[in-house]
Amino acid sequence: MTVKPISRLGAAFAFAVLLSACDMGVVVYEPGVYKGDPDPIASQQAAAERSDALADRAGSAFADR
Amino acid sequence: MKLIKKSGTTATSSRPGILGRAIGRRAFLQGTGLAVGAAAVAGALPTTMVKKAKAARSIDPKAEIKRVKTVCTHCSVGCSTYAEVQNGVWIGQEPAFDSPINLGAHCAKGASLRNHGHSTRRTKYPMKLVNGRWQRISWEQAIEEIGDKLLKIREESGPDALWFAGSSKASNEGAYLQRKFAAFWGSNNCDHQARICHSTTVAGVANTWGYGAQTNSYNDINKSKCIVMCGSNAAEAHPVAMQMILRAKENGAKLVVMDPRFTRTAAHSDVYVRFRSGTDVALIWGILWHVLENGWEDKEYLRKRVFGFDKVREEVAKWTPERVEQVTGVPREGLYEVAKIMAENRPGTFVWCMGGTQHTIGSNYVRAYNCLQLALGNIGVEGGGANIFRGHDNVQGATDVGPNPDNLPGYYPLSEDGWRHWAAVWDVDFDWLAGRFDQNEYDDGKGGKVKPMFSPGITVSRWIDGVLEDKANIAQRDNIRAVMMWGHAPNSQTRGPEMKRAMEKLDLLVVIDPYPTVTAVLHDRKDNTYLLPAATQFEQSGSATASNRSLQWREKVIDPLYEHKTDGEIAYLLAKKLGFADQMFKNIKVVNNVPEPESVLREINRGAWSIGYTGQSPERLKAHMKHAGHFDVVSLKAQGGPLDGEYYGLPWPCYGTPELKHPGTHILYDTSKHVMEGGGNFRAAFGTEYNGESLLAEDSWSKGAEIQGGYPQFDHKLLKQLGWWDELTPEEKELAEGKSWTTDRSGGIIRVAMKHGCHPFGNAKARAFVWNFPDPVPVHREPLYTPRYDLVKDFPTYEDRKLFYRLPTRWRSVQARDYSKEFPLIHTSGRLVMFEGGGEETRSNPWLAELKQEMFVEINPADANDAGIKDGQWVWLEGPEGGRIKVKAWVTNRVGRGTVFTPFHFGGHFQGEDLLHKYPEGAAPYVRGDSTNTATTYGYDAVTMMQETKTTLCRVRPA
Amino acid sequence: MARMKFLCDVERCIECHACVTACKNEHEVPWGVNRRRVIVMDDGQPGEKAISVACMHCSDAPCAAVCPVDCFYQTADGIVLHDKDLCIGCGYCFYACPFGAPQYPQQTAFGVRGKMDKCTFCAGGPEEPHSEAELTKYGTNRIAEGKLPLCAEMCATKALLAGDGDVIANIYRKRVMRRGGRPQSWGWQAAYGQNV
């Protein structure tokens, strides 16, 4: 079976396209994973830093003084 | 600001989101080829949405934010809040957890106060009607024109031709200046919301035991073992009070709610009693019958502290369970259960509100409640009391020192003594002041003659009759020709169609208010009508008295938004134009036409000895706001700190000078405490004996009193008799000579009396028998418009009177006709949580307006079916005097069969027509509707001229 | 680690809507969008109960599970938030949410939807805390300041509690113990007898 030059060109182009996908800027889609911008207050560290203050706040806000 | 996509994110930055792995959005979009699509979605956002998403404020995180403490203006609970202000803009509202009254809590209204900081739905500048259209004018022009017209009317018809409504929403200082304004103008024709709110309470309780105010506090309810609420829907009218009520309930207190309507408060009760509107006396006597039948009354308490209870026994004996059921509809077991709960759970408190006051015999209801509480020994004790929840935020203060037609600040009588006292405080010549009034004499309605200076003015409930009644029948020189609504909604008064006519007949109509109010639109006037923009309480500082008699100081949050001016400044500008500013503001500091609130309060402090509004100096009040967190929530007492031992807000009476450091009185008439610790006893206000029987409390006195027994009010004679006169300083002696404790401007008599542990107002018994009232013992009388016409012959109303508060007043001639066949349903009214009063202010706040967008009537499914009405349908509600309103039907079991309920906050429609086109542009409230009071009817209390809004008749049919 | 939760004490909720207006006030939520609502059951009848409902900040949030563009995330202390730049306003989260929490700005034409809006637990969104962008898109960020949601902080009767689940559970538990372990509102005795 002979391979037509045009098909070879197509295959090479397709390969080149696939190759280009290996560029650093491209990330594979992963369902269910947050795709938005970062939120500085969402981290473990930020949550840990505010937890005492929020617990105190709950005390002053909700306890029946 | 548009919801634009952000730039500058890079694919390589790490992401802290914990749902998944770090990933770059741009990379993600590129990788999936969705970038174009997402941009298209963002770009396709309809512009309306983008506009709505725009923040109304911008907050600079770096610029300074000022925290200002103020107090909510929407009810009498007195909830503090912190306003956050940046560059003069009110950008945030934070809870004041330190306040012992609300602990940071708010209701829907309080939680939306910040809208006051940027609301545009207001009267923005002075305006007048020119050929039926609103035209902007300057303040100078407005004051000139109004002043000239007032002077002309005064010239032609005398000072009483002006009548004005002052405001329970003014600060103490503003309300006091309103009363002083009337006095210096030369008339008693001023009134405010208290008339149509709790006037029957004030008269009823003051005549029973001394002071016209809530005896205990919201906080003290924590100590109650039983809470009975009758005609009070606190969950909507005083929501933050429910915090204390529910806390008490959690501690084991029983909650009993008695109301014709299954209210949102009733939903939290242990026992709910539904009864026919307008039958409270029968209901209460029905409970007291069981108390007495079972010997549950506190006999020792009645012997020591109550006068005339035997006469109550005689009346109560008539109210057998069968008779009570016949009148109220409540069976024997229901009221036996209530009586038993009250008897077994003492101390118990009794709460009532406008469901108990707004009746033709409202003062009878009030006194029946009092008698029940006295019988159980519940007055003058912690956890007990008559916990009367007042309405507006400063209605207590405006009652105490504000624009009342029937007394002077501090409840001083309209007698020569009363006027002379205040003339001395004001530092003006009594004769000059008297000369300001109409000098003619008029029929006093009791067979004598009286000068207008000494006769109660026309009330807010009846001003329309002062306009419409034949001049010959009025006990003053002429009809009312000019009206100023200075902080008062007209749609809170009954008989709307007649009000429209009255407004149209006036020569001058002025609205002084932050909002145009229904007064701007109800009538078809073409000219001589003005709107003056008044500042809100957030645009000025001053004090306000909460229902529990605590005074709280508001700091100014922001400058007036537009051309608004404070009540004080408006009073000053008008007084200047009318020619008496120099006298009226003689000892008050005025800066740039603005009277300084501190200076005004100090003048009140110098005069209102009778109710102990003398110890609450501005400095002390400010210290209380600052150290609010030191006060115990249950006792309201400061624990430690600079205010140790004082009660929060120095609840009046706070006797003597500020220097005397009286701590204020948390619980009135509490004999378990020394008078200098807020203790007390019942007041000797009614003489020392009646028909040979002593009124003094011979076997009861407050802790530490050196007179162990009853004693009269203190005056110079008593002090001399007791040998205490020489304990006065020479300066005090000079002012105290010939005076009583209420008129001694040195405060010396009070100081010495209290030093000996005695109460300046004497020590007497409470009166179960009030001989000076039309019904000395409360009796049931059928409402003027009653659905039970068959009971009228047994329980008829009063005879008509030729003159009452200067006007002919009808009872019997109204009741003479039976309307119950044509108008078979009881029409009662009440509050909603999201609105206040006439509602203009709250319906102009979008956060509140959104919550209830249509006027409605609650109707029982049976009545709805009888009338062919479906839920949600437009209906006509028609009153027997011809007024009718077009409202939405809300078919619900919340009301019983035969009763319909409407909320009274709506306005801006009249008999089905939207009056939007009559408002100044951009100033109409978001939500408008027909006003309840367009369909309400005639009917007034025989002591105070309270209007009847809780029991009238109507019919409802599909629209 | 703390886990942020709301809890509405039904015995204390009086349907006053303070939570609703506090939210409007704090975040300037437009007319028609309600991040929080008061739901009433048996309105006007014995047993009437009200409860304040907003986003419950589910630990395993169904909104996040179904979102086709994965715009949801959760803070380390359990607050469920979303990125409005990413949100396409499809309404799928509205299907998934058991509480009807997601809101869509009302348009003049019925049915047109904008970006989804919901309760943020007063924690803003994926923007610099206190920035103009955060304020405009999500509202204020109280959490970053050490404050709790204003709806709960201003609740008239302290029925609505917000904060770390353990902390507010302790507060609530004390109340329940004081109540003797039974609801006291009207209708209970009628339903179960005087002595229950």
Side-chain angles (χ1 to χ4, degrees):
Chain A
M1 186 176 123
T2 55
V3 179
K4 288 178 184 164
I6 187 75
S7 304
R8 262 202 302 274
L9 190 64
F13 181 74
F15 183 71
V17 168
L18 284 172
L19 203 66
S20 74
C22 295
D23 185 38
M24 282 175 57
V26 177
V27 178
V28 177
Y29 178 76
E30 195 176 332
V33 177
Y34 175 56
K35 308 294 190 302
D37 274 355
D39 183 344
I41 70 149
S43 69
Q44 288 278 350
Q45 193 195 344
E49 279 169 7
R50 65 180 171 247
S51 79
D52 284 353
L54 290 178
D56 285 354
R57 185 84 175 174
S60 53
F62 308 125
D64 293 334
R65 171 156 76 88
Chain B
M1 147 127 205
K2 276 172 61 174
L3 288 178
I4 46 166
K5 299 200 316 122
K6 295 183 301 292
S7 58
T9 50
T10 60
T12 49
S13 65
S14 78
R15 310 285 159 177
I18 58 160
L19 267 181
R21 208 183 74 200
I23 191 164
R25 181 173 52 108
R26 178 174 293 168
F28 156 70
L29 291 173
Q30 282 170 343
T32 57
L34 271 172
V36 174
V41 169
L45 285 178
T47 51
T48 48
M49 179 206 159
V50 174
K51 264 191 210 142
K52 278 181 181 163
K54 183 176 180 292
R57 60 186 158 166
S58 75
I59 304 171
D60 180 351
K62 293 184 189 70
E64 191 204 348
I65 293 176
K66 197 172 71 165
R67 247 164 61 113
V68 185
K69 197 173 194 183
T70 184
V71 178
C72 178
T73 56
H74 290 301
C75 89
S76 69
V77 174
C79 301
S80 291
T81 203
Y82 284 105
E84 294 184 332
V85 182
Q86 188 176 69
N87 301 322
V89 180
W90 189 352
I91 56 161
Q93 188 187 341
E94 288 294 322
F97 298 129
D98 58 342
S99 165
I101 286 183
N102 63 314
L103 293 89
H106 287 297
C107 70
K109 300 179 289 292
S112 58
L113 291 182
R114 193 174 61 82
N115 187 259
H116 288 276
H118 57 266
S119 171
T120 58
R121 300 274 174 137
R122 289 173 66 170
T123 303
K124 300 177 185 69
Y125 24 73
M127 303 186 104
K128 71 169 180 176
L129 272 183
V130 179
N131 203 16
R133 298 192 69 86
W134 292 111
Q135 193 178 82
R136 180 177 179 173
I137 55 174
S138 69
W139 266 102
E140 291 71 24
Q141 186 186 346
I143 296 290
E144 270 312 296
E145 290 186 14
I146 292 167
D148 286 339
K149 288 175 206 288
L150 285 175
L151 290 170
K152 182 165 173 281
I153 289 169
R154 183 189 174 95
E155 183 67 32
E156 292 165 357
S157 303
D160 290 319
L162 165 66
W163 179 91
F164 76 89
S167 190
S168 307
K169 294 200 66 169
S171 61
N172 283 323
E173 296 73 25
Y176 168 79
L177 288 178
Q178 289 176 331
R179 184 62 183 93
K180 199 173 172 185
F181 179 89
F184 281 64
W185 166 257
S187 173
N188 292 324
N189 275 340
C190 60
D191 203 0
H192 64 112
Q193 285 89 344
R195 179 72 40 200
I196 53 175
C197 160
H198 267 294
S199 64
T200 44
T201 295
V202 173
V205 299
N207 276 283
T208 302
W209 45 55
Y211 281 146
Q214 182 174 4
T215 60
N216 293 37
S217 74
Y218 297 108
N219 299 66
D220 183 64
I221 294 174
N222 276 294
K223 289 199 172 168
S224 300
K225 296 211 172 82
C226 168
I227 304 152
V228 180
M229 306 179 79
C230 186
S232 160
N233 179 15
E236 300 208 59
H238 308 87
V240 176
M242 288 300 285
Q243 186 181 153
M244 299 302 156
I245 290 168
L246 293 174
R247 275 171 68 163
K249 198 167 166 241
E250 274 157 22
N251 286 325
K254 290 283 182 185
L255 178 60
V256 178
V257 174
M258 307 194 287
D259 204 295
R261 180 170 171 255
F262 181 76
T263 59
R264 290 175 173 84
T265 308
H268 287 267
S269 64
D270 294 297
V271 174
Y272 165 63
V273 176
R274 168 127 57 205
F275 65 101
R276 173 165 70 97
S277 180
T279 62
D280 292 46
V281 173
L283 183 83
I284 299 301
W285 287 166
I287 297 167
L288 192 50
W289 188 90
H290 289 291
V291 170
L292 300 178
E293 179 79 1
N294 291 284
W296 290 331
E297 73 272 28
D298 187 335
K299 295 177 189 75
E300 193 59 7
Y301 183 94
L302 287 171
R303 184 184 69 76
K304 284 179 172 172
R305 301 195 66 183
V306 183
F307 166 79
F309 193 75
D310 289 344
K311 298 200 168 59
V312 172
R313 283 180 190 272
E314 288 165 25
E315 178 64 22
V316 171
K318 300 175 194 164
W319 289 93
T320 59
E322 296 67 37
R323 199 177 197 201
V324 170
E325 181 170 1
Q326 187 200 14
V327 172
T328 67
V330 186
R332 171 191 276 258
E333 312 80 62
L335 294 186
Y336 175 80
E337 192 188 358
V338 174
K340 190 158 184 282
I341 287 173
M342 291 184 80
E344 289 176 352
N345 296 278
R346 286 183 247 192
T349 188
F350 198 102
V351 179
W352 73 85
C353 291
M354 284 154 66
T357 63
Q358 292 183 334
H359 294 279
T360 44
I361 55 164
S363 49
N364 280 6
Y365 291 7
V366 165
R367 287 188 308 115
Y369 307 150
N370 296 350
C371 290
L372 178 59
Q373 281 294 71
L374 287 171
L376 293 164
N378 274 335
I379 301 295
V381 294
E382 292 177 352
N387 272 316
I388 305 137
F389 296 174
R390 307 274 331 238
H392 286 316
D393 62 305
N394 195 37
V395 67
Q396 186 61 53
T399 307
D400 299 332
V401 299
N404 302 293
D406 48 352
N407 57 50
L408 293 169
Y411 306 91
Y412 284 81
L414 294 177
S415 62
E416 189 173 326
D417 280 354
W419 280 110
R420 279 194 184 277
H421 170 70
W422 277 102
V425 175
W426 294 331
D427 195 14
V428 295
D429 180 46
F430 171 78
D431 293 327
W432 173 83
L433 194 62
R436 298 286 302 156
F437 286 75
D438 178 3
Q439 298 303 309
N440 299 308
E441 292 193 329
Y442 303 91
D443 192 340
D444 68 357
K446 299 167 200 155
K449 292 273 182 194
V450 65
K451 283 185 171 184
M453 187 181 195
F454 307 115
S455 77
I458 291 172
T459 64
V460 67
S461 46
R462 297 295 303 279
W463 71 265
I464 56 175
D465 292 313
V467 180
L468 298 173
E469 181 64 53
D470 186 340
K471 187 157 72 172
N473 298 333
I474 307 180
Q476 64 175 39
R477 186 167 146 196
D478 202 344
N479 285 102
I480 293 168
R481 295 179 55 197
V483 163
M484 299 199 296
M485 290 298 229
W486 194 344
H488 204 305
N491 48 323
S492 60
Q493 297 125 61
T494 53
R495 300 161 59 200
E498 285 169 275
M499 180 179 296
K500 181 173 188 294
R501 276 204 294 130
M503 284 179 174
E504 284 160 7
K505 192 184 161 202
L506 288 169
D507 292 296
L508 176 66
L509 178 60
V510 181
V511 182
I512 307 174
D513 203 283
Y515 299 85
T517 78
V518 171
T519 309
V521 297
L522 180 61
H523 49 78
D524 291 318
R525 293 173 66 86
K526 294 279 178 262
D527 45 27
N528 292 316
T529 309
Y530 293 81
L531 304 181
L532 300 183
T536 68
Q537 296 305 313
F538 305 111
E539 295 163 340
Q540 57 190 302
S541 60
S543 67
T545 306
S547 192
N548 74 311
R549 297 168 279 106
S550 284
L551 277 70
Q552 299 188 93
W553 188 266
R554 291 190 182 108
E555 296 295 339
K556 175 172 150 180
V557 177
I558 47 167
D559 285 327
L561 276 185
Y562 301 93
E563 291 186 13
H564 300 93
K565 290 185 188 296
T566 65
D567 296 316
E569 181 174 359
I570 295 167
Y572 181 78
L573 291 173
L574 283 171
K576 200 158 86 172
K577 167 66 190 170
L578 298 171
F580 52 83
D582 288 348
Q583 295 279 7
M584 181 174 161
F585 293 88
K586 199 169 182 181
N587 294 309
I588 292 171
K589 188 176 165 192
V590 179
V591 183
N592 293 330
N593 297 330
V594 182
E596 184 197 74
E598 285 87 345
S599 170
V600 179
L601 180 55
R602 272 189 263 276
E603 185 173 285
I604 298 172
N605 291 156
R606 287 197 298 272
W609 302 97
S610 55
I611 52 170
Y613 252 69
T614 47
Q616 302 97 334
S617 64
E619 293 73 22
R620 286 184 87 187
L621 294 184
K622 287 175 188 179
H624 277 235
M625 298 307 283
K626 186 176 169 195
H627 300 290
H630 292 186
F631 292 85
D632 178 66
V633 171
V634 177
S635 68
L636 279 186
K637 201 180 212 177
Q639 296 173 320
L643 306 172
D644 193 21
E646 294 186 6
Y647 293 104
Y648 180 66
L650 300 170
W652 71 261
C654 176
Y655 289 122
T657 59
E659 295 71 34
L660 199 60
K661 293 273 178 202
H662 188 278
T665 309
H666 181 207
I667 312 292
L668 291 174
Y669 324 120
D670 182 358
T671 53
S672 74
K673 301 185 187 82
H674 190 282
V675 63
M676 276 305 286
E677 289 166 352
N681 42 246
F682 295 129
R683 183 177 184 176
F686 318 104
T688 52
E689 60 167 51
Y690 180 74
N691 288 350
E693 195 180 335
S694 174
L695 296 171
L696 301 178
E698 301 303 350
D699 297 316
S700 165
W701 53 87
S702 59
K703 186 180 161 191
E706 289 180 23
I707 306 178
Q708 302 207 332
Y711 50 91
Q713 310 213 35
F714 272 79
D715 62 6
H716 69 112
K717 280 186 239 155
L718 183 62
L719 225 51
K720 287 167 188 162
Q721 265 174 27
L722 292 164
W724 299 347
W725 178 255
D726 285 334
E727 294 174 38
L728 295 172
T729 65
E731 297 76 34
E732 285 173 340
K733 276 182 182 170
E734 204 172 308
L735 284 166
E737 185 57 64
K739 295 287 168 63
S740 76
W741 71 284
T742 58
T743 53
D744 160 23
R745 286 180 291 113
S746 75
I749 296 177
I750 290 174
R751 181 181 66 77
V752 171
M754 294 200 301
K755 199 178 131 210
H756 292 278
C758 292
H759 206 293
F761 73 24
N763 175 24
K765 291 178 173 177
R767 293 193 303 173
F769 177 76
V770 178
W771 58 82
N772 50 323
F773 271 25
D775 294 322
V777 169
V779 296
H780 172 63
R781 295 175 183 277
E782 278 296 314
L784 299 190
Y785 291 91
T786 173
R788 292 292 305 277
Y789 206 77
D790 58 312
L791 295 175
V792 165
K793 65 176 184 334
D794 287 343
F795 308 104
T797 189
Y798 306 102
E799 294 300 323
D800 291 358
R801 280 198 232 170
K802 188 178 159 209
L803 285 170
F804 183 45
Y805 284 89
R806 302 188 181 183
L807 291 164
T809 306
R810 301 185 299 137
W811 282 274
R812 194 187 186 96
S813 61
V814 178
Q815 203 182 47
R817 188 175 151 191
D818 178 6
Y819 291 90
S820 63
K821 302 290 175 294
E822 295 162 83
F823 300 91
L825 299 170
I826 295 174
H827 179 198
T828 191
S829 62
R831 277 177 191 262
L832 299 175
V833 71
M834 61 287 292
F835 299 136
E836 180 206 357
E840 200 83 348
E841 181 176 40
T842 41
R843 285 182 287 106
S844 298
N845 179 333
W847 304 329
L848 295 169
E850 188 188 349
L851 293 169
K852 185 62 71 185
Q853 300 175 25
E854 270 163 343
M855 171 64 178
F856 63 89
V857 54
E858 288 178 357
I859 182 167
N860 185 273
D863 296 323
N865 287 335
D866 286 348
I869 290 164
K870 298 259 181 301
D871 189 39
Q873 177 180 353
W874 285 104
V875 296
W876 282 108
L877 184 156
E878 297 167 332
E881 289 178 6
R884 59 180 205 155
I885 56 176
K886 193 179 173 188
V887 299
K888 275 254 169 98
W890 185 344
V891 178
T892 172
N893 283 305
R894 198 177 284 289
V895 285
R897 195 167 182 169
T899 299
V900 301
F901 166 89
T902 55
F904 59 69
H905 312 291
F906 287 83
H909 285 193
F910 185 70
Q911 310 208 101
E913 184 203 353
D914 189 349
L915 305 177
L916 177 62
H917 62 283
K918 289 189 180 178
Y919 281 90
E921 202 184 331
Y926 293 99
V927 165
R928 296 172 302 282
D930 241 320
S931 166
T932 292
N933 284 317
T934 301
T936 52
T937 51
Y938 195 96
Y940 301 96
D941 179 79
V943 176
T944 72
M945 206 62 106
M946 166 63 81
Q947 62 184 9
E948 174 73 76
T949 65
K950 294 295 182 246
T951 316
T952 184
L953 294 175
C954 74
R955 65 180 168 223
V956 181
R957 62 178 179 82
Chain C
M1 178 56 73
R3 177 138 212 118
M4 293 302 146
K5 282 289 166 207
F6 285 117
L7 192 162
C8 185
D9 179 348
V10 189
E11 291 299 309
R12 283 213 188 177
C13 179
I14 55 170
E15 307 172 42
C16 83
H17 294 85
C19 47
V20 177
T21 61
C23 178
K24 294 261 174 186
N25 180 347
E26 183 69 8
H27 305 299
E28 301 202 344
V29 187
W31 185 293
V33 176
N34 287 289
R35 291 182 175 184
R36 180 167 282 288
R37 283 173 199 281
V38 177
I39 308 297
V40 183
M41 288 151 284
D42 296 325
D43 188 63
Q45 303 192 51
E48 175 172 345
K49 288 268 184 281
I51 186 168
S52 173
V53 181
C55 169
M56 301 291 271
H57 300 276
C58 304
S59 304
D60 185 2
C63 53
V66 302
C67 179
V69 293
D70 290 329
C71 72
F72 289 93
Y73 64 101
Q74 198 162 29
T75 65
D77 45 5
I79 302 168
V80 176
L81 298 169
H82 73 299
D83 185 335
K84 282 195 181 180
D85 292 345
L86 213 54
C87 172
I88 56 173
C90 68
Y92 208 175
C93 50
F94 193 41
Y95 278 49
C97 177
F99 303 99
Q103 301 281 300
Y104 302 89
Q106 280 179 356
Q107 305 301 324
T108 40
F110 178 75
V112 180
R113 281 174 171 169
K115 304 261 179 181
M116 189 275 279
D117 188 85
K118 74 166 191 71
C119 161
T120 64
F121 211 81
C122 289
E127 296 285 354
E128 189 57 37
H130 315 307
S131 63
E132 182 74 24
E134 184 182 59
L135 184 65
T136 307
K137 287 187 231 173
Y138 307 101
T140 61
N141 194 331
R142 302 175 64 79
I143 291 292
E145 293 174 62
K147 295 175 187 165
L148 291 163
L150 196 64
C151 52
E153 288 194 350
M154 282 188 175
C155 174
T157 56
K158 304 198 181 289
L160 184 62
L161 310 175
D164 178 16
D166 288 342
V167 174
I168 60 175
N170 276 336
I171 292 168
Y172 181 61
R173 211 171 284 130
K174 277 185 200 154
R175 282 187 204 168
V176 174
M177 295 312 286
R178 263 207 305 268
R179 286 174 194 154
R182 71 169 185 89
Q184 288 183 305
S185 52
W186 194 69
W188 178 268
Q189 290 180 343
Y192 302 107
Q194 295 291 328
N195 301 317
V196 181

